[in-house]
Amino acid sequence: MDRIPILRMGPFLLVTIQTDLYDRLALSLEADLVQMVSKTGARGVLIDISAQSIVDSFMGRIIGNIASMCKILDAETVVVGMQPAVAITLIELGLELKGVYTALNVERGMELLQSKITLPTEDTEEEE
Amino acid sequence: MDRIPILRMGPFLLVTIQTDLYDRLALSLEADLVQMVSKTGARGVLIDISAQSIVDSFMGRIIGNIASMCKILDAETVVVGMQPAVAITLIELGLELKGVYTALNVERGMELLQSKITLPTEDTEEEE
């Protein structure tokens, strides 16, 4: 597999990481995501890591990088589906994922993004 | 990787197939999906195959099976993100994916599911 598919869901992008993020794949994910955010004007990125049962410092760093890049492009990043063992490992490694929001699952992650981002809706639109 | 993650998004389930569906993985996906549909009462299943650049008769059959199983459990199946080459191969193989809805991308697939399924909303609810 060359690249991880990025799904567009309304104003958000969804990425499900199912394989080990080795160097080249991680770099292409970073590039693809940033390009996609820029192209679609997405306001949020959801990264699902429920398939990851182990995590290392490289993966933690990559997620941090992606969040920082998206932030510059005005998109928030939420990591969802983290397994308890992964959370334990991350803290033991000293990686606190600063600047990255987390949520239990995709649904909650989407709610979080919705609340973080003031989307232009009919309710907030002011008439005259 | 043992299993493909199934994401819950409101009344729908989303599966992104990123690896080759070999026998054991396909069977566990079938079992997981059917169990998840039953457990969550999902009304629709979205299968994203945008990462698949090739397809064989086995994969075609598995998708057909999943759709049939979900149908029995009152959930519609939509395959999204099919690459042109995959569509060509499927037809050349004589697999027409009968009973399976298709859509160009996840967004359109979700719209299709919404239209197929009469969800109980405030508008349709009758008072008294």
Side-chain angles (χ1 to χ4, degrees), chain B:
Chain B
M1 194 186 50
D2 316 313
R3 44 193 64 232
I4 296 170
I6 299 168
L7 308 179
R8 191 178 172 178
M9 319 214 46
F12 306 130
L13 300 177
L14 174 65
V15 182
T16 312
I17 301 176
Q18 295 179 11
T19 46
D20 286 337
L21 267 191
Y22 53 89
D23 293 33
R24 210 169 52 78
L25 189 63
L27 292 175
S28 81
L29 176 64
E30 266 183 22
D32 289 353
L33 251 181
V34 175
Q35 209 151 15
M36 194 88 165
V37 168
S38 153
K39 204 173 72 183
T40 63
R43 302 300 312 278
V45 175
L46 281 155
I47 303 177
D48 174 68
I49 58 166
S50 57
Q52 307 284 313
S53 50
I54 49 166
V55 75
D56 55 9
S57 58
F58 175 71
M59 171 116 178
R61 199 159 54 79
I62 286 295
I63 290 175
N65 281 358
I66 288 174
S68 306
M69 289 171 189
C70 292
K71 185 80 190 171
I72 297 175
L73 295 173
D74 196 25
E76 298 290 349
T77 303
V78 178
V79 173
V80 299
M82 192 183 291
Q83 290 186 20
V86 170
I88 292 168
T89 311
L90 279 177
I91 297 304
E92 283 179 351
L93 283 172
L95 293 164
E96 292 178 47
L97 292 183
K98 275 183 188 154
V100 181
Y101 295 107
T102 50
L104 193 64
N105 54 40
V106 175
E107 276 192 308
R108 294 209 193 162
M110 235 167 223
E111 282 167 20
L112 181 67
L113 278 178
Q114 294 277 14
S115 70
K116 291 280 168 212
I117 294 154
T118 38
L119 287 168
T121 63
E122 286 76 41
D123 304 325
T124 57
E125 251 172 35
E126 276 172 50
E127 297 182 13
E128 267 141 311

Side-chain angles (χ1 to χ4, degrees), chain A:
Chain A
M1 193 186 50
D2 317 314
R3 42 192 67 232
I4 296 170
I6 300 167
L7 307 180
R8 192 179 171 178
M9 320 214 47
F12 307 130
L13 300 177
L14 174 65
V15 182
T16 313
I17 301 175
Q18 295 179 12
T19 46
D20 286 336
L21 267 191
Y22 52 89
D23 294 30
R24 210 168 54 78
L25 189 63
L27 292 176
S28 79
L29 176 65
E30 266 183 19
D32 289 353
L33 251 181
V34 174
Q35 210 152 16
M36 194 89 166
V37 167
S38 154
K39 204 174 71 182
T40 63
R43 301 298 313 276
V45 175
L46 282 155
I47 302 177
D48 173 71
I49 57 166
S50 58
Q52 307 284 314
S53 51
I54 51 166
V55 77
D56 55 10
S57 58
F58 175 71
M59 170 115 178
R61 199 159 54 81
I62 286 295
I63 289 174
N65 280 359
I66 288 174
S68 306
M69 291 172 189
C70 292
K71 185 80 189 171
I72 297 176
L73 295 174
D74 194 27
E76 299 290 349
T77 303
V78 178
V79 172
V80 300
M82 193 184 289
Q83 290 186 20
V86 171
I88 293 168
T89 311
L90 278 177
I91 297 305
E92 283 179 352
L93 283 172
L95 294 164
E96 292 177 47
L97 292 183
K98 275 183 188 154
V100 181
Y101 296 108
T102 50
L104 193 64
N105 54 40
V106 176
E107 275 192 308
R108 294 207 193 164
M110 235 167 225
E111 283 167 20
L112 181 66
L113 278 179
Q114 294 277 13
S115 71
K116 291 278 168 213
I117 294 155
T118 38
L119 287 168
T121 63
E122 284 76 41
D123 305 326
T124 57
E125 254 174 32
E126 274 171 52
E127 298 180 12
E128 267 142 313

